[in-house]
Amino acid sequence: QAHALINDMDPDMVIADKGYDANHFVEAIEAKGAQSVIPPRNNRLDPREYDRHWYRDRNLVERFFNHIKQFRRVATRYEKLDRNFSGMIVLVCTLIWLE
């Protein structure tokens, strides 16, 4: 399913964890003209180079999504309409920003 994630996109860079370290996926990313920032698995015989700085920033994004999901109304998606759910996301992000 990894190919389906980037199929309709035109990214400059794809940042993913070690689970996406497969030659065919990295080649598909580079065929789109994007840079792959995927650390190699430990059992890889010929480890690839990747930009460690960009990969560290991925952690900030994941922690932010985890912080958003601590709000029950967002995690369980009480809102039925997309516009209401989007408004709740904005409200939660504002609360996190103000902390």
Side-chain angles (χ1 to χ4, degrees):
Q1 293 298 324
H3 290 283
L5 290 173
I6 64 166
N7 200 15
D8 295 330
M9 296 172 47
D10 188 26
D12 294 330
M13 182 181 304
V14 176
I15 304 173
D17 61 4
K18 290 182 180 184
Y20 292 93
D21 180 32
N23 289 335
H24 58 88
F25 186 57
V26 172
E27 289 169 2
I29 292 169
E30 291 173 355
K32 288 187 164 281
Q35 177 186 359
S36 68
V37 182
I38 303 172
R41 292 185 183 186
N42 295 334
N43 63 353
R44 190 177 261 280
L45 297 177
D46 186 25
R48 271 183 298 97
E49 291 293 321
Y50 68 100
D51 192 346
R52 293 176 189 271
H53 173 73
W54 281 108
Y55 189 72
R56 282 190 199 123
D57 289 346
R58 177 183 164 273
N59 183 30
L60 293 173
V61 174
E62 287 206 15
R63 285 188 305 169
F64 183 72
F65 280 125
N66 187 25
H67 202 124
I68 288 174
K69 290 180 182 178
Q70 298 301 312
F71 291 83
R72 185 173 177 204
R73 192 168 194 111
V74 173
T76 56
R77 190 162 179 162
Y78 284 138
E79 312 301 329
K80 292 183 180 180
L81 299 177
D82 286 340
R83 64 183 167 92
N84 293 348
F85 184 68
S86 183
M88 190 54 62
I89 294 286
V90 170
L91 180 63
V92 167
C93 291
T94 305
L95 288 174
I96 292 171
W97 180 62
L98 290 175
E99 285 184 347

